[in-house]
């Protein structure tokens, strides 16, 4: 999993989350356009940024679209090394997942750009968009999972200091708090919070790798978002049952136990699982509606609106991969006439708020969703049923009463004050227990509004006093077919 240094937080989190401290030790980094989506909710094809320098540079800027697996310096070095000598690599996450690669000359950089443009690092995901960067040299202050100077293996190494405590650092006094779960020596997978790539990526000859690769930090057993797939490592033989995506995939975990997965090396910092959300409509959005949207990409733990930053919230997800998926799929989406932007926080977790203030709609500004039954990645079986999709104008609905009619569905959205779907298709019922189908809206913005309002809306159950809780997610369909398969 990509790592991110932990920093001491203060009350200026919202304004500092996009500072250069987030660039993992890079002194000069070029901004790049964040990954976008077309009107059908599909990733735009790789293209050259407008205003790109005409003169080639020996430093490349890579944007990784749909980063379903960890992107580390080892991954980037492995794909770039065949094109020439790589001097330095810096990975940062200001706009999605990006990397800058410095070659020893313009010729190998040009070959790498031409050879890798539009390629998938792994099958069906981690698509590369490459352009010439503005800096002519990368400054690396520490060799770790997100930055590396191949010309100086000792970057960032410090001489051990003796502070009189009889050890190699730290205070002689006892610590005030225990180490947070998921960091350092006690790191272990969250039982209900790991969000794996569902089913693993598709096998494709066009992909650079068939499986997530290990790195120089000893993460060979996989991390919370995947691990090693059946079939072995890059170029390796292996066989089925040698690990697998954490939440299920080709062959499932196989011989690798859940306890053996997700164990980082001591002392290596991990990227946090806190997401920054900007640009929300302050009159329309609240904690539950943010939950309704983000729960499609991972477990939601806590949500906190910032009183000093209007329309801004912080969200603690179940793990760092859930944050990456949310950023990759939802960043710069527009709904309720506002453009939502997502970023990575430097905080490792959100603390409880004892006295939250009231939002304009009267709901609390802080809510804890730990153990909420509407989280969809609580265990491997539940997580394997989720399909990670970017926003689209068609929603799939399920867990609704049998015999549900279109008027009842439309009323849910009318009552919520959003545009009703223009087309509804009910699937032929295979059981008397529930119903499901598709909802088509005029555009993606209307579908997003419908999802944040209608997801987890109660629908009366004619046979019980307990209502059905309708669940929504984005569909991969581009249009609703006239006839559904029986």
């Amino acid at each position: 999993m990509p790592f991110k240094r932990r920093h001491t937080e203060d009350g200026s989190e919202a304004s500092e989350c996009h500072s250069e401290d987030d660039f993992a030790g890079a002194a000069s980094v070029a901004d790049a356009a964040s990954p976008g989506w077309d009107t059908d909710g599909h990733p735009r094809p790789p293209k050259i940024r407008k205003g790109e320098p005409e003169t080639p540079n020996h430093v490349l800027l890579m944007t990784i679209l749909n980063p379903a697996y960890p992107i580390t310096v080892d991954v980037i070095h492995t794909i770039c090394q065949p094109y020439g000598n790589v001097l330095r690599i810096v990975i940062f996450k200001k706009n999605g997942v990006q990397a800058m690669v410095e070659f020893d000359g313009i010729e190998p950089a040009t070959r790498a750009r031409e050879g890798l443009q539009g390629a998938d690092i792994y099958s069906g995901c981690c698509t590369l968009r490459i352009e010439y960067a503005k800096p002519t040299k990368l400054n690396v202050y520490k060799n770790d999972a997100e930055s590396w100077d191949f010309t100086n293996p000792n970057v960032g190494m410090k001489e051990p200091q003796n502070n009189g405590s009889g050890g190699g650092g730290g205070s002689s006094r006892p610590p005030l708090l225990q180490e947070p779960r998921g960091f350092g020596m006690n790191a272990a997978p969250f039982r209900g919070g790991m969000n794996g790539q569902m089913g693993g990526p598709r096998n494709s000859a066009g992909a650079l790798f068939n499986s997530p690769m290990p790195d120089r930090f000893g993460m060979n057993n996989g991390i919370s978002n995947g691990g090693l797939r059946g079939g072995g490592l890059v170029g390796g033989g292996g066989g089925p049952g040698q690990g697998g995506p954490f939440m299920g995939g080709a062959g499932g975990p196989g011989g690798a136990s859940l306890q053996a997965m997700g164990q980082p090396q001591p002392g290596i910092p991990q990227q946090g699982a806190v997401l920054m959300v900007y640009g929300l409509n302050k009159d329309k959005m609240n904690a539950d509606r943010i939950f309704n949207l983000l729960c499609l990409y991972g477990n939601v733990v806590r949500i906190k609106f910032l009183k000093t930053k209007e329309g801004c919230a912080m969200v603690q997800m179940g793990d760092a991969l859930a944050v990456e998926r949310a950023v990759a799929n939802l960043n710069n989406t527009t709904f309720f006439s506002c453009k939502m932007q997502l970023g990575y926080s430097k905080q490792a977790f959100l603390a409880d708020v004892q006295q939250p203030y009231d939002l304009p709609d009267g709901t609390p500004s802080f809510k804890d969703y730990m153990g909420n039954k509407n989280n969809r990645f609580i265990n491997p079986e539940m997580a394997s049923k989720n399909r990670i999709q970017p926003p689209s104008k068609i929603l799939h609905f399920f867990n609704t009463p049998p015999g549900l009619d279109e008027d009842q569905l439309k009323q849910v959205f009318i009552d919520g004050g959003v545009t009703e779907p223009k087309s509804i298709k009910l699937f032929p019922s295979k059981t008397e227990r529930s119903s499901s189908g598709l909802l088509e809206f005029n555009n993606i913005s209307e579908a997003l509004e419908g999802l944040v309002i209608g997801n987890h809306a109660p629908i009366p159950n004619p046979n019980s006093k307990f209502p059905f809780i309708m669940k929504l997610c984005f569909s991969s369909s581009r249009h609703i077919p006239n006839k559904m398969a029986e």
Side-chain angles (χ1 to χ4, degrees):
M1 178 178 294
F3 299 109
K4 194 172 186 69
R5 294 183 182 85
R6 298 192 296 276
H7 299 269
T8 301
E9 285 298 312
D10 56 26
S12 59
E13 165 64 45
S15 61
E16 293 182 353
C17 69
H18 286 321
S19 69
E20 293 209 358
D21 289 342
D22 283 350
F23 289 6
S28 59
V29 179
D31 288 343
S34 58
W37 307 94
D38 60 24
T39 55
D40 291 323
H42 299 280
R44 294 192 183 107
K47 62 181 180 181
I48 299 174
R49 180 175 60 177
K50 184 178 180 181
E52 181 183 1
E54 293 182 0
T55 304
N57 189 6
H58 66 283
V59 179
L60 298 180
L61 173 63
M62 297 182 174
T63 300
I64 294 88
L65 306 177
N66 188 22
Y69 288 113
I71 302 300
T72 64
V73 290
D74 280 309
V75 173
I76 299 299
H77 187 262
T78 299
I79 65 176
C80 292
Q81 192 177 26
Y83 297 94
N85 187 28
V86 177
L87 302 182
R88 299 170 188 89
I89 296 174
V90 172
I91 298 173
F92 55 99
K93 296 165 184 174
K94 182 178 180 182
N95 293 308
V97 179
Q98 296 176 302
M100 299 188 76
V101 183
E102 181 182 349
F103 288 86
D104 63 354
I106 293 178
E107 185 177 348
T110 302
R111 288 198 302 265
R113 179 176 178 271
E114 293 174 352
L116 297 174
Q117 183 74 273
D120 289 347
I121 297 179
Y122 300 112
S123 181
C125 62
C126 302
T127 304
L128 291 169
R129 184 177 67 191
I130 306 175
E131 51 203 284
Y132 294 116
K134 292 180 181 179
T136 56
K137 182 179 179 181
L138 300 180
N139 293 330
V140 175
Y141 299 127
K142 184 177 182 181
N143 286 341
D144 59 15
E146 293 192 339
S147 60
W148 201 277
D149 188 339
F150 295 93
T151 66
N152 185 359
N154 298 320
V155 169
M157 295 183 63
K158 296 182 180 180
E159 293 295 329
Q161 297 179 354
N162 187 352
N163 60 1
S165 62
S171 171
S172 59
R173 299 171 58 188
L176 299 176
L177 297 174
Q178 292 183 352
E179 195 168 52
R181 180 176 63 170
F183 290 87
M185 295 291 292
N186 299 323
F190 290 92
R191 290 298 173 189
M194 294 304 186
N195 310 314
Q197 176 70 9
M198 299 309 100
R202 301 180 301 274
N203 289 326
S204 169
L208 299 175
F209 300 151
N210 287 325
S211 59
M213 60 179 295
D215 59 36
R216 67 184 72 245
F217 301 100
M219 313 296 285
N220 293 346
N221 285 330
I223 315 176
S224 63
N225 64 324
L228 308 182
R229 297 185 63 216
L233 299 177
V234 180
Q242 302 296 321
F246 183 82
M247 287 304 186
S257 67
L258 298 184
Q259 291 87 342
M261 303 177 72
Q263 300 289 344
Q265 291 294 307
I268 300 297
Q270 298 189 39
Q271 176 189 311
V274 178
L275 177 70
M276 296 299 305
V277 186
Y278 304 96
L280 296 171
N281 186 312
K282 64 181 181 65
D283 297 317
K284 297 290 184 70
M285 292 299 290
N286 57 32
D288 285 341
R289 292 177 179 180
I290 293 179
F291 174 87
N292 288 345
L293 179 59
L294 293 180
C295 72
L296 274 60
Y297 301 99
N299 289 332
V300 178
V301 180
R302 296 182 181 92
I303 297 176
K304 179 177 75 173
F305 279 80
L306 302 183
K307 193 171 186 178
T308 58
K309 293 287 182 180
E310 200 171 75
C312 178
M314 302 177 71
V315 182
Q316 181 181 342
M317 302 294 289
D319 60 27
L321 180 63
V323 175
E324 291 189 7
R325 285 202 296 251
V327 172
N329 287 282
L330 296 175
N331 192 28
N332 293 322
T333 52
T334 300
F335 55 100
F336 292 132
S337 303
C338 294
K339 185 177 182 180
M340 182 179 70
Q341 293 182 312
L342 305 180
Y344 298 87
S345 171
K346 293 180 288 186
Q347 288 192 192
F349 60 93
L350 294 181
D352 287 329
V353 178
Q354 298 299 325
Q355 296 180 327
Y357 68 93
D358 287 341
L359 297 175
D361 64 357
T363 60
S365 60
F366 173 85
K367 292 194 73 172
D368 192 321
Y369 294 90
M370 180 74 75
N372 189 295
K373 63 182 180 180
N374 289 325
N375 270 315
R376 303 184 183 183
F377 296 79
I378 295 175
N379 55 53
E381 182 181 1
M382 289 181 62
S384 65
K385 297 177 181 178
N386 294 291
R387 295 181 181 178
I388 306 302
Q389 297 285 346
S392 66
K393 65 180 181 178
I394 297 181
L395 302 181
H396 171 56
F397 71 89
F398 56 101
N399 198 48
T400 48
L404 183 71
D405 59 40
E406 294 187 8
D407 291 337
Q408 286 179 281
L409 277 171
K410 290 181 179 179
Q411 195 62 44
V412 171
F413 301 98
I414 294 173
D415 292 344
V418 296
T419 304
E420 64 186 72
K422 70 173 185 178
S423 178
I424 298 176
K425 191 70 176 182
L426 291 165
F427 290 157
S429 180
K430 297 181 180 179
T431 174
E432 297 287 331
R433 299 172 57 185
S434 64
S435 59
S436 61
L438 298 175
L439 308 170
E440 182 174 3
F441 292 82
N442 293 309
N443 51 55
I444 292 177
S445 293
E446 288 185 3
L448 281 162
E449 294 168 6
L451 187 139
V452 300
I453 294 294
N455 198 14
H456 306 127
I459 298 181
N461 182 356
N463 301 319
S464 172
K465 64 179 181 179
F466 300 105
F468 279 80
I469 303 301
M470 178 172 68
K471 296 188 177 183
L472 300 173
C473 62
F474 296 114
S475 172
S476 59
S477 302
R478 294 191 177 184
H479 60 87
I480 293 182
N482 294 325
K483 293 184 179 181
M484 304 298 297
E486 295 293 338

